[in-house]
Amino acid sequence: YAHSENNANFVAIRKSDATVLGSYVAGVMPWDWEDIATGPCPAGKCIFMGDIGRVSGHPLPMPDTFAVYRMKEPNLAAGETSGTVSGDLFPFRYPDTPANAEALMVHPTTGDIYVVTKNGSTGLSKAYKFPKPLPAPGTMSTLIKVADLQLPLGPDENFRSVTAGTIHPCANRFLLRTYRAVYEYRAPAGAPFE
């Protein structure tokens, strides 16, 4: 899936050639969509959209709380190729200070939802996750900090500004994308994901 940043539109695309297979509107207007993921949910498989940006959204002022929107994945094989997709809104705040984030990851087996912040100045991003069990939709959550992630500094901020993330289907590693590079983080053999 790919999404627009400041409106509710998103598309389903074929991995092999990026052909658009479906065009949708999320049932909520975002402040600043930044990343999209899929993962397990009570409905089976869901799309998760992160309204997690703090800088480029609208209208100002910048928010202190954010949200993840969870929608049941459309059934393309059954002809669900367009329309509005309703879902559940999970608002959250950080346990420390509000942060700009552009990476949303959903664990492929546990369904844990992770948010990774963006800090191009120092390259020190913070990883947080939603509490478990996931609170009821509409209930404000305070995320749990799980890690500090120091990205390689590189020649400029574009090498260390996290813009997206994803967890490998085997759940033993994940990728963080920046404007100029993709970094893979691997767990030692047998170690827990976090």
Side-chain angles (χ1 to χ4, degrees):
Y1 294 94
H3 62 91
S4 297
E5 187 166 11
N6 296 322
N7 62 53
N9 301 322
F10 67 102
V11 295
I13 57 173
R14 181 181 292 124
K15 291 179 186 178
S16 61
D17 62 6
T19 300
V20 174
L21 302 174
S23 182
Y24 309 96
V25 177
V28 64
M29 182 56 108
W31 194 82
D32 190 4
W33 287 141
E34 288 293 358
D35 204 2
I36 190 168
T38 57
C41 65
K45 189 170 181 188
C46 284
I47 300 168
F48 298 79
M49 294 182 76
D51 196 1
I52 56 178
R54 191 164 195 249
V55 177
S56 61
H58 57 84
L60 293 175
M62 293 188 289
D64 292 333
T65 61
F66 309 88
V68 170
Y69 191 59
R70 182 183 72 190
M71 303 164 281
K72 184 176 186 295
E73 190 170 17
N75 185 340
L76 291 166
E80 296 177 5
T81 58
S82 65
T84 299
V85 184
S86 61
D88 297 315
L89 191 67
F90 295 92
F92 71 87
R93 64 174 57 95
Y94 291 97
D96 33 35
T97 58
N100 187 39
E102 295 190 10
L104 174 72
M105 304 187 300
V106 178
H107 194 281
T109 54
T110 67
D112 288 337
I113 303 169
Y114 295 87
V115 176
V116 180
T117 63
K118 176 183 183 181
N119 186 335
S121 300
T122 66
L124 181 63
S125 290
K126 297 177 182 181
Y128 299 86
K129 78 173 184 177
F130 272 80
K132 201 152 190 184
L134 191 62
T139 303
M140 181 64 67
S141 293
T142 299
L143 298 189
I144 301 161
K145 184 179 173 191
V146 294
D148 288 319
L149 301 170
Q150 179 62 57
L151 276 76
L153 295 181
D156 61 51
E157 288 190 7
N158 291 319
F159 282 89
R160 54 189 180 262
S161 296
V162 174
T163 59
T166 191
I167 299 173
H168 190 276
C170 292
N172 62 353
R173 56 192 182 271
F174 64 94
L175 299 176
L176 292 180
R177 183 191 73 194
T178 69
Y179 294 109
R180 299 271 173 89
V182 175
Y183 301 101
E184 182 181 62
Y185 291 78
R186 291 185 177 210
F193 176 73
E194 290 172 11

